[in-house]
Amino acid sequence: MNTDALVAARELSPLIVRLRDETESKRNLAAPIVERLRAAGLCRLAVAEELLGSELPSDAALDVYETLAYADASVSWVAWNNSLPCLLGRFLAPAARAEIFAEPQWLHACSTRPTGRATVTADGYRVHGRWGIVSGCELAEWIQVLCVVEDENGEPRMLGPGVPELRFAYLRRGGCKILDTWHVGGLRGTGSQDVVVENVHVPRALTLFVAEPSTLEGPLGRVPIICSMAAGYGAQALGVAQSAVDTLVELTSTKAPPEGAPLRERPAVLADIGRHSAALEAARVYLHACAAQLWRTAVAGGPPALDEITAMWGAGLHAAEVAETAVDAAYAAGGINSLYTSCPLERAHRDLHAMRRHIVGQAMWFEDAGRVRLGAAPHHPLYAI
């Protein structure tokens, strides 16, 4: 297993912690953190080695995301968001993929909201629209956006009744206008601003549709994309929750409230520590087992089985749910300390609840997992991509 990325994440963590306040106040990652992320390639875990990426196995990437999230969820969130445009790059022609991922220093951002339009031209598309919550967009060299395809008359092209044709397009950041809209509590440092594009021409080679065949050899060209994103999401949630539980352990060891028994003598607090420590570790083991199985299947050359994908969805979403429960319990047990921004419990609570609003963490994926286990087909078209 390639451990260089994990070592780099661990070595970066003290700097991330020291610069938390700067990241928060800027509403974007502090510059020294970005510099180290670039140098270590921690935003290129899902880029092929031939393009100077890490090509990290899925389960190994989870350790990196969890480590970064333990230090600051905003940092892990930006690194994790970079992986989606990297993974989707499998649907590009090799020359286009090489162009977009040519420089190891480049970062990438993306939006999966189909709030833009791509009007067909003779040699590509004219892209226009506005996309919200594009994490890390100000740091990125390339921004990937999702568009409804229109014909020359401005009418959406339909693949079937009520199903418009969608297409991702990669644009240089210079062709985008970034609006200062990210005024939030949780994940404040992610710089998840809105992006506006006004009639920018994009060659067809720099666009893709997820139903097209992969042009990338090796496991990165075969491992399922969206459930892998769910795994990274779950790993980050575990990192935030582990930070919260560890903070509670520290408080319990030292805090003596002015009234009542010390925390270390309160059975409910002790039980919470034991219960949630075990739950986080169990979720972590299952998450890694499912990710490792999917990677083994990809290495072997075969397409992943639907039950493997379903297990990965379940593991990622389960990890997030377990993490949320642990953070809420730690926050409650921390008492008045949990209110202060100087206490990691305060940040863990708002970051985790912001993370839980992401589309990859919603119940519809669990519902599709249930359909598959009943022998039916999933409803969401991206479930098995």
Side-chain angles (χ1 to χ4, degrees):
M1 182 178 72
N2 184 340
T3 59
D4 291 348
L6 181 56
V7 169
R10 288 171 174 166
E11 292 177 346
L12 177 56
S13 291
L15 178 66
I16 293 172
V17 173
R18 287 200 303 272
L19 295 178
R20 274 175 176 168
D21 290 343
E22 181 179 343
T23 291
E24 290 262 303
S25 63
K26 289 179 61 178
R27 294 177 294 116
N28 216 328
L29 303 188
I33 296 173
V34 178
E35 182 180 343
R36 292 277 294 275
L37 288 172
R38 294 183 193 274
L42 294 181
C43 295
R44 294 169 64 87
L45 304 186
V47 175
E49 288 183 346
E50 66 189 52
L51 295 175
L52 304 180
S54 297
E55 198 165 337
L56 207 61
S58 299
D59 54 321
L62 301 184
D63 283 327
V64 176
Y65 296 136
E66 181 174 351
T67 298
L68 295 175
Y70 187 97
D72 188 340
S74 288
V75 179
S76 67
W77 197 257
V78 170
W80 170 72
N81 268 272
N82 268 261
S83 63
L84 182 56
C86 297
L87 288 167
L88 289 172
R90 73 170 62 164
F91 300 113
L92 297 167
R97 188 164 53 245
E99 178 183 353
I100 292 170
F101 301 102
E103 293 294 333
Q105 297 293 307
W106 284 349
L107 302 186
H108 300 76
C110 66
S111 173
T112 58
R113 299 181 175 196
T115 54
R117 296 292 182 267
T119 304
V120 176
T121 65
D123 56 350
Y125 301 89
R126 189 174 69 254
V127 172
H128 52 101
R130 176 171 174 169
W131 295 263
I133 316 180
V134 186
S135 299
C137 57
E138 294 172 288
L139 310 174
E141 181 64 27
W142 291 86
I143 298 177
Q144 183 188 51
V145 295
L146 184 58
C147 303
V148 174
V149 177
E150 299 177 330
D151 61 26
E152 296 85 345
N153 299 318
E155 295 295 324
R157 296 205 306 201
M158 307 302 289
L159 300 178
V163 182
E165 180 181 346
L166 301 178
R167 202 157 188 88
F168 283 101
Y170 290 84
L171 300 93
R172 300 298 281 263
R173 187 185 61 198
C176 306
K177 181 180 180 181
I178 296 175
L179 304 182
D180 185 8
T181 56
W182 191 241
H183 298 272
V184 296
L187 297 176
R188 188 179 298 161
T190 59
S192 302
Q193 314 285 13
D194 283 16
V195 170
V196 174
V197 177
E198 299 177 353
N199 294 319
V200 173
H201 177 260
V202 181
R204 181 177 177 83
L206 298 183
T207 71
L208 63 89
F209 181 53
V210 294
E212 293 169 345
S214 173
T215 64
L216 180 63
E217 296 295 328
L220 271 183
R222 294 187 288 267
V223 70
I225 294 174
I226 309 302
C227 71
S228 294
M229 294 298 296
Y233 168 80
Q236 292 178 88
L238 292 175
V240 173
Q242 191 65 59
S243 171
V245 171
D246 288 352
T247 299
L248 180 59
V249 168
E250 182 179 353
L251 284 174
T252 302
S253 301
T254 60
K255 183 179 178 182
E259 297 179 358
L263 291 186
R264 63 181 176 274
E265 296 178 8
R266 299 184 184 183
V269 174
L270 298 175
D272 273 347
I273 291 172
R275 179 181 299 110
H276 295 297
S277 294
L280 293 176
E281 184 58 30
R284 183 179 295 113
V285 170
Y286 182 50
L287 183 66
H288 278 257
C290 292
Q293 178 56 48
L294 277 179
W295 190 259
R296 284 194 295 270
T297 298
V299 168
L306 190 57
D307 62 343
E308 292 177 330
I309 292 172
T310 296
M312 186 76 271
W313 273 114
L317 296 174
H318 172 69
E321 288 188 349
V322 166
E324 183 176 19
T325 301
V327 167
D328 286 349
Y331 184 85
I336 200 72
N337 295 71
S338 300
L339 300 179
Y340 289 88
T341 57
S342 58
C343 179
L345 288 173
E346 187 274 339
R347 179 180 281 106
H349 188 262
R350 57 184 162 87
D351 280 347
L352 198 283
H353 281 276
M355 294 166 69
R356 294 292 284 140
R357 309 283 78 76
H358 194 276
I359 189 171
V360 82
Q362 300 310 302
M364 63 182 179
W365 305 108
F366 256 147
E367 292 164 8
D368 266 351
R371 290 186 182 97
V372 172
R373 291 186 182 278
L374 288 173
H379 284 183
H380 201 291
L382 297 182
Y383 181 85
I385 294 296

